[in-house]
Amino acid sequence: MQDYNGQNYHNWHLITVYHFGGYAKVKPDLLAFMNQFKQQHNIQLEPIYTGKMMYGIFDLLKQGYFPAGSIIVAVHTGGLQGNAGFEQRLGLQV
């Protein structure tokens, strides 16, 4: 941001460790989380973006990363149409 507009912001942080091996890569832990998330919250996730994002948020919550009273906003960007392809191509249950 500083290069773009000269401002230096300290109210955000980019966390890149929840990629599960890269774009469109999945691992059993991610799929298990997505299935549990759907059962508990009745919200379908997909393994490219929203599944990884929510996995990361919930993992950070478990670690106490966010200060008490924090407001966390997560934007579900869709992409659910790709789940059928994952199920057909890889035999995955998402």
Side-chain angles (χ1 to χ4, degrees):
M1 289 302 297
Q2 188 171 7
D3 290 344
Y4 175 71
N5 68 2
Q7 298 292 318
N8 195 4
Y9 299 95
H10 300 284
N11 61 347
W12 68 281
H13 182 78
L14 186 60
I15 300 171
T16 61
V17 297
Y18 296 103
H19 56 73
F20 287 88
Y23 178 78
K25 305 287 186 186
V26 296
K27 294 189 178 180
D29 288 351
L30 175 62
L31 297 174
F33 169 81
M34 289 171 52
N35 288 326
Q36 181 183 9
F37 189 88
K38 184 177 180 185
Q39 288 176 354
Q40 286 184 321
H41 305 287
N42 199 29
I43 298 172
Q44 180 76 41
L45 301 173
E46 48 74 36
I48 306 288
Y49 300 114
T50 59
K52 293 175 181 181
M53 172 189 64
M54 293 306 290
Y55 182 99
I57 290 171
F58 276 63
D59 187 54
L60 292 170
L61 284 165
K62 281 190 242 174
Q63 295 178 40
Y65 177 84
F66 302 103
S70 292
I71 296 173
I72 300 167
V73 177
V75 179
H76 192 308
T77 57
L80 298 177
Q81 71 278 5
N83 281 355
F86 268 96
E87 291 171 0
Q88 281 183 338
R89 189 167 37 106
L90 303 174
L92 301 175
Q93 289 294 102
V94 292

